[in-house]
Amino acid sequence: MRICTFNVNSIRSRLEIVQNLVNDYNIEVLCMQEIKVENKDFPLIDKDFECVIHGQKKLHGVATCSKFPIEESQKGFEGELNEPRFIYTLINGVHIINIYAPLGDNYGDRFEYKMYFYDKLFEWLRRFDLSKDKVLICGDFNISHTELDVWDEVIWEGEVTHLPEEKAILSKFLDIGFVDIIRKEYPNEKVFTFYDYRGAAVYKNEGLRLDYILVTKPLFEKFKNLEILTSIRRKRKPTPSDHVPVIAEFDV
DNA sequence: ATGGCGCGGGGTCCGCGA
């Protein structure tokens, strides 16, 4: 199974890029964030896709599309406070959770919301036996875990995404049994999945890693390979998302 | 790119993103 996570920054603006991505890289499960559209206006991406769409007007929104049957699904959960940020699907025996976490702010109301979102996510995960079940959480976590996940650790010290409480959340995922596949593949080097549109960040390699594919060990045993498609972010036309697609392949 | 943001809503700007 080839699964891709991609914060598209509006599916309508990114339709051509997403369609080419699906074709060129044989994407079988596509987890999108920031679709920025109501469910009724979500466009047709691929005739072979079945999609679970959880959107709203203008902001946020997530969608999970699959070429395999979606055996179970759930849109939303307690932690998202009327902003669509969570979809659960069961595909090929893999429990797939697609999230768009709140950005937050430096210790204001939105930061409290971000902490609440993750509290409720950990609570929701209690239904699984993480030592036995194949569980995958992917998406835009809006957390840069370590110094390897920011382009300049001095500049990012004390800034949102890189605050101690946020780093602790990522560490907690690892503590309860998840493997961070991107970091496992690149244990000692900076790799980024987001480059701000402003300041020509992508051309200066001033990026952050905000996107993750976390898997439990029973699924990690089936992991085959990983691709981070930075090349798509570097093209000028059609206009790319500010995030980079990340693809993982598993023997399931 | 040898320069420097893009999106949607409803506007000729604003709020938002991180």
Side-chain angles (χ1 to χ4, degrees), chain A residues 198-237:
Chain A
R198 293 163 291 193
V202 70
Y203 308 112
K204 297 186 281 195
N205 202 32
E206 294 179 351
L208 303 173
R209 185 169 71 106
L210 303 179
D211 301 86
Y212 293 77
I213 299 176
L214 305 181
V215 299
T216 53
K217 289 178 179 65
L219 183 56
F220 187 65
E221 288 169 10
K222 308 288 185 183
F223 170 66
K224 286 179 72 180
N225 60 68
L226 175 79
E227 293 169 90
I228 302 173
L229 302 181
T230 310
S231 58
I232 290 181
R233 175 67 184 91
R234 296 184 64 85
K235 286 178 185 156
R236 298 220 131 190
K237 286 187 178 177

Side-chain angles (χ1 to χ4, degrees), chain A residues 59-250:
Chain A
L59 286 171
H60 318 305
V62 285
T64 299
C65 297
S66 174
K67 292 181 181 175
F68 303 114
I70 297 176
E71 299 155 43
E72 288 178 31
S73 69
Q74 177 184 325
K75 299 185 203 183
F77 78 126
E78 189 184 351
E80 61 176 32
L81 298 185
N82 295 321
E83 296 178 356
R85 297 180 176 278
F86 173 103
I87 289 177
Y88 163 76
T89 50
L90 176 61
I91 300 170
N92 284 349
V94 181
H95 304 280
I96 298 173
I97 297 134
N98 172 11
I99 63 163
Y100 172 51
L103 166 62
D105 51 23
N106 288 39
Y107 300 120
D109 289 347
R110 297 293 289 179
F111 187 77
E112 293 306 311
Y113 174 31
K114 188 175 198 172
M115 295 298 109
Y116 176 81
F117 176 91
Y118 278 110
D119 277 351
K120 292 299 173 186
L121 182 56
F122 285 116
E123 202 172 286
W124 195 89
L125 289 170
R126 283 190 208 144
R127 70 198 61 210
F128 299 117
D129 181 343
L130 299 176
S131 66
K132 293 194 177 70
D133 297 334
K134 297 187 184 73
V135 182
L136 180 151
I137 311 175
C138 68
D140 179 358
F141 284 56
N142 271 318
I143 293 175
S144 45
H145 186 206
T146 75
E147 69 278 3
L148 295 177
D149 299 312
V150 294
W151 59 276
D152 187 319
E153 58 268 28
V154 175
I155 288 176
W156 280 92
E157 173 79 38
E159 298 295 332
V160 71
T161 77
H162 206 53
L163 298 169
E165 294 85 347
E166 301 178 282
K167 298 174 186 176
I169 287 168
L170 232 298
S171 297
K172 184 172 172 183
F173 280 111
L174 307 185
D175 290 343
I176 65 176
F178 285 96
V179 176
D180 174 355
I181 288 189
I182 296 176
R183 186 52 63 211
K184 201 81 175 178
E185 285 289 283
Y186 299 95
N188 299 309
E189 64 183 285
K190 291 181 187 277
V191 279
F192 306 133
T193 64
F194 165 85
Y195 302 86
D196 202 306
Y197 286 123
R198 293 163 291 193
V202 70
Y203 308 112
K204 297 186 281 195
N205 202 32
E206 294 179 351
L208 303 173
R209 185 169 71 106
L210 303 179
D211 301 86
Y212 293 77
I213 299 176
L214 305 181
V215 299
T216 53
K217 289 178 179 65
L219 183 56
F220 187 65
E221 288 169 10
K222 308 288 185 183
F223 170 66
K224 286 179 72 180
N225 60 68
L226 175 79
E227 293 169 90
I228 302 173
L229 302 181
T230 310
S231 58
I232 290 181
R233 175 67 184 91
R234 296 184 64 85
K235 286 178 185 156
R236 298 220 131 190
K237 286 187 178 177
T239 307
S241 170
D242 44 3
H243 288 255
V244 174
V246 182
I247 302 167
E249 183 169 351
F250 300 91

Side-chain angles (χ1 to χ4, degrees), chain A residues 8-19 32 34-45 56-59 239:
Chain A
V8 294
N9 185 23
S10 165
I11 184 58
R12 288 174 292 181
S13 294
R14 228 59 65 202
L15 186 57
E16 183 187 345
I17 284 174
V18 170
Q19 287 174 327
M32 288 165 281
E34 288 205 83
I35 61 172
K36 294 188 172 180
V37 69
E38 293 175 276
N39 293 4
K40 66 180 177 62
D41 295 324
F42 190 86
L44 178 68
I45 296 171
Q56 67 176 29
K57 194 187 277 282
K58 191 173 180 178
L59 286 171
T239 307

